[in-house]
Amino acid sequence: MNKKNQHFDSKVIHAGQSVEPVTGAVMPPIFLTSTYVQESPGVHKGFEYTRSHNPTRYALERCIARLEGSELTEEQDASYGGFAFSSGMAAISTTLDLLNAGDHIIAMDDLYGGTNRLFTKVKERSAGLQFSFVDLTNLSLLENAITDKTKLIWIETPTNPMLKLVDLEGVVNIAKDRGILLACDNTFATPALQHPLDMGFDIVMHSATKYLAGHSDVVAGILVTGNPELAERIRFVHNSAGPILSPFDSYLVLRGIKTLSLRMRRHCESAKRIATWLNTQESVELVIYPGLSSHPQFEIAEKQMQIDGELAGGGMITCIIAGGIEKSKSFLEKLEIFSLAESLGGVESLVEHPAIMTHASVSPENRAELGIEDGLVRLSIGIEDCGDLIADLEQALA
Ligand code: P1T
């Protein structure tokens, strides 16, 4: 069977993997070595130094490259266009390092707070980049924001924390073939649901800390491209600046990906049930979930977020607890199964308060514009029994 035609359930186990040649080990050994012996100067087995090449990291990079739809061969790029980083932020920073001082970037207005901070508080100053933040749920705003200096469009969809959706095909139709790189942070959807490269995007990025690794035990980032020239440019920065993922952490992320498909099915199923239930609760003012028909961009969810051809809304829910900061704080403190913690996408359910926690670095004015208000809480639905999760929410809301 052509590997490309395998079902995603099979790909997560086998994509990009090969049996270890010396022992036949089914999982790649964790190659804990910084360097590799050379027979004669420049004569080696393709591995010189671990910042540049590591077999465990390659195994992860090749796997995620294939899952995101890169078809690059080993001759075109050693890890098929997949690159693993020490964090999601390092992956984003590397994307910006592909640009030149003075270049202009159009970014989605609602973004992970750390991404917003990297753009506005670091890269504007250190790299001379210019950013415009645009609500790309309205694509007519995109055309107006593009200038002859625009070199990158940075999308998150669903966004963190407002779960806004951007029509990826719509972005491609407006911006493709204008010398603008199109990059999508696919952390919330994962390739189990959404494939930006297939729609014409150039780069997919992940905080692999989240659903890819899936067990809240590692911090990691990913970039994937299906374009050989772009892969070469990313490889150059990856190796030059050195924000690489360690062999051990590469192993953890690869191990996590084996169950990505199973986990995402469960995250989506439980989140849909919980969002529907939250919608019936008087003490909840608003429920935002891409899998509910009340979501403002529900049609986009139906089109671009799917498992086996069926809408899959993801595992994240954002809601507003009636009664402002006091009520939302007491709700968060009373939860017992949900842990109050930053991050998301693990097997355990987490809950957090964006205005105080993940998005504290976004200015209060900007938060107000985006709707990140004091009663807003973000739920990451884990894979525990869904009835237990609803019971926990019920006692905390009471
Ligand atoms: O934390 P790190 O692996 O460096 O990834 C940063 C990042 C990038 N993109 C998105 C969409 C993210 O959600 C994150 C990290 N987010 C959290 C830690 C959080 O709780 O939202």
Side-chain angles (χ1 to χ4, degrees):
M1 182 183 192
N2 182 343
K3 285 190 178 160
K4 216 184 118 195
N5 298 333
Q6 279 181 5
H7 192 279
F8 190 76
D9 287 355
S10 306
K11 283 189 184 164
V12 287
I13 317 282
H14 300 292
Q17 303 308 294
S18 47
V19 170
E20 197 276 319
V22 176
T23 61
V26 169
M27 276 299 278
I30 303 171
F31 282 90
L32 289 176
T33 186
S34 59
T35 191
Y36 307 85
V37 158
Q38 308 202 2
E39 275 171 47
S40 174
V43 181
H44 51 73
K45 296 179 165 57
F47 294 88
E48 289 166 279
Y49 187 61
T50 271
R51 171 158 40 73
S52 324
H53 329 103
N54 181 276
T56 319
R57 200 176 72 228
Y58 275 9
L60 164 64
E61 292 172 334
R62 290 172 173 178
C63 175
I64 186 65
R66 288 294 183 251
L67 297 183
E68 285 291 1
S70 162
E71 294 179 11
L72 295 188
T73 60
E74 191 174 346
E75 291 68 40
Q76 287 174 306
D77 183 77
S79 53
Y80 309 162
F83 299 91
F85 294 83
S86 53
S87 68
M89 294 319 304
I92 300 174
S93 185
T94 296
T95 310
L96 299 178
D97 284 346
L98 301 173
L99 306 180
N100 297 319
D103 285 351
H104 173 241
I105 293 114
I106 297 173
M108 182 60 184
D109 59 348
D110 187 39
L111 290 173
Y112 167 55
T115 307
N116 180 300
R117 177 175 56 199
L118 177 72
F119 289 180
T120 57
K121 305 220 167 81
V122 180
K123 293 290 180 176
E124 264 181 14
R125 173 185 54 74
S126 71
L129 298 172
Q130 294 168 359
F131 295 87
S132 299
F133 296 90
V134 181
D135 180 4
L136 296 175
T137 58
N138 177 358
L139 281 183
S140 63
L141 300 178
L142 176 59
E143 184 70 56
N144 294 341
I146 295 176
T147 72
D148 51 9
K149 292 199 168 149
T150 306
K151 294 290 180 258
L152 173 68
I153 297 177
W154 186 267
I155 306 285
E156 245 180 51
T157 180
T159 60
N160 182 359
M162 299 307 289
L163 304 179
K164 293 195 205 178
L165 305 183
V166 179
D167 178 353
L168 295 173
E169 262 178 356
V171 172
V172 170
N173 290 340
I174 293 172
K176 199 68 180 167
D177 302 324
R178 293 171 75 163
I180 304 173
L181 285 176
L182 304 181
C184 178
D185 181 336
N186 208 22
T187 300
F188 275 34
T190 84
L193 273 59
Q194 176 171 280
H195 294 99
L197 295 188
D198 290 353
M199 295 178 196
F201 267 62
D202 302 296
I203 297 176
V204 168
M205 175 264 155
H206 281 274
S207 168
T209 316
K210 311 297 180 326
Y211 289 108
L212 294 189
H215 295 74
S216 305
D217 52 7
V218 60
V219 172
I222 293 287
L223 291 181
V224 177
T225 181
N227 172 323
E229 289 83 44
L230 202 47
E232 199 177 330
R233 284 164 64 196
I234 296 172
R235 181 167 297 287
F236 184 78
V237 178
H238 196 222
N239 187 41
S240 302
I244 52 154
L245 191 63
S246 77
F248 184 72
D249 288 348
S250 298
Y251 170 81
L252 284 178
V253 179
L254 182 66
R255 187 181 209 264
I257 288 176
K258 305 274 172 189
T259 55
L260 177 68
S261 191
L262 279 175
R263 286 184 287 107
M264 288 311 292
R265 287 170 191 275
R266 173 75 163 217
H267 288 302
C268 292
E269 192 185 310
S270 294
K272 169 102 193 269
R273 201 173 134 198
I274 291 171
T276 306
W277 177 82
L278 283 169
N279 237 347
T280 65
Q281 301 303 299
E282 269 176 23
S283 45
V284 180
E285 259 173 32
L286 176 71
V287 179
I288 308 171
Y289 180 66
L292 292 183
S293 57
S294 55
H295 190 285
Q297 294 96 38
F298 180 67
E299 283 171 16
I300 298 174
E302 284 187 302
K303 186 171 81 162
Q304 74 188 23
M305 295 173 70
Q306 297 182 349
I307 295 179
D308 291 338
E310 301 278 327
L311 165 65
M316 301 298 296
I317 302 171
T318 296
C319 56
I320 298 178
I321 306 295
I325 189 82
E326 289 315 316
K327 286 282 190 237
S328 63
K329 267 193 185 168
S330 85
F331 166 71
L332 294 172
E333 286 163 6
K334 282 192 191 130
L335 285 164
E336 287 168 6
I337 301 183
F338 282 82
S339 299
L340 176 58
E342 298 202 8
S343 203
L344 59 110
V347 290
E348 65 286 285
S349 293
L350 298 181
V351 66
E352 69 110 10
H353 190 279
I356 299 177
M357 296 166 69
T358 50
H359 291 69
S361 63
V362 178
S363 71
E365 303 77 50
N366 195 353
R367 284 203 304 266
E369 275 166 26
L370 293 168
I372 306 176
E373 51 182 83
D374 288 347
L376 192 92
V377 300
R378 190 190 72 186
L379 310 173
S380 170
I381 305 302
I383 62 170
E384 301 95 335
D385 175 73
C386 191
D388 286 349
L389 295 177
I390 291 178
D392 193 27
L393 293 166
E394 191 163 27
Q395 65 78 22
L397 282 175

